[in-house]
Each structure stands twice: as structure tokens, then as C-alpha cells.
Amino acid sequence: MSEHTGSAKFYYVIWIALLILTAVTAGVAFLDLGPFNTIVALTIATLKALLVILFFMHVKDTGERLTKVVIISSIFWLLLLLGLSLADYGSRAIGS
């Protein structure tokens, strides 16, 4: 296992970014964006998950090929599920 090179200041910056994204999520919940509420909420949640995975779980620093393949395939799977969910959500009738 390799040593992690991140400084404490860097992790505090990432943590503050996560707090800001959480505040943005709470703020957006009070806005009426119409059909874009779900899209904005899922986008912010995905950004927060990527920050945690890449930096706090040290996936960005890994050099193993298998780890990169797993990460790329899981991001593809996430995008596939989000795309299909949003396609279903967008195709529903408004009054139903």
C-alpha cells in the first residue's frame, strides 16, 4: 500500500467544498425549478460522492489498473441508472 501524500489543509478544503455543496443542496430544495429539481439534486449528490471517493477514499492516488477499471465501470453504471431513471421521470404525465 502506498503512502498518501495529501496534506491536512487539502482535506479541509475538500471538506469545506462538501459543506458548501450540502448548503447548495438545501438551498436548491427551497427553489422551484420545475422538472429540473431532480436533475440538480442528483448532480450535486454525484459531485459530493465523487469528492468523497476520489479524495477521502484515496482512489485518485491509486495506480492499480483493476481499481481504475472498477471505478470507470461503476461510474458508467451510475450514469446508466441515472439516465434511465431521469428518462422514466421525464416521460411521465404531469397530472398522474
Side-chain angles (χ1 to χ4, degrees):
M1 183 178 246
S2 64
E3 290 293 321
H4 304 296
T5 58
S7 66
K9 181 180 177 183
F10 177 73
Y11 289 116
Y12 283 123
V13 169
I14 298 297
W15 179 63
I16 290 170
L18 288 170
L19 289 176
I20 290 170
L21 286 171
T22 301
V24 169
T25 302
V28 168
F30 291 105
L31 298 176
D32 184 22
L33 300 176
F36 295 108
N37 277 344
T38 304
I39 295 170
V40 170
L42 288 174
T43 302
I44 295 170
T46 303
L47 286 173
K48 290 192 297 187
L50 282 174
L51 284 175
V52 169
I53 290 168
L54 289 175
F55 298 108
F56 285 116
M57 296 175 71
H58 305 287
V59 171
K60 185 176 180 286
D61 296 331
T62 187
E64 296 183 28
R65 294 175 113 191
L66 182 60
T67 303
K68 291 180 181 179
V69 168
V70 169
I71 296 299
I72 290 170
S73 62
S74 62
I75 289 172
F76 173 74
W77 185 249
L78 173 68
L79 292 175
L80 180 70
L81 289 176
L82 288 176
L84 290 173
S85 296
L86 290 175
D88 176 56
Y89 182 74
S91 66
R92 294 182 185 189
I94 293 174
S96 298

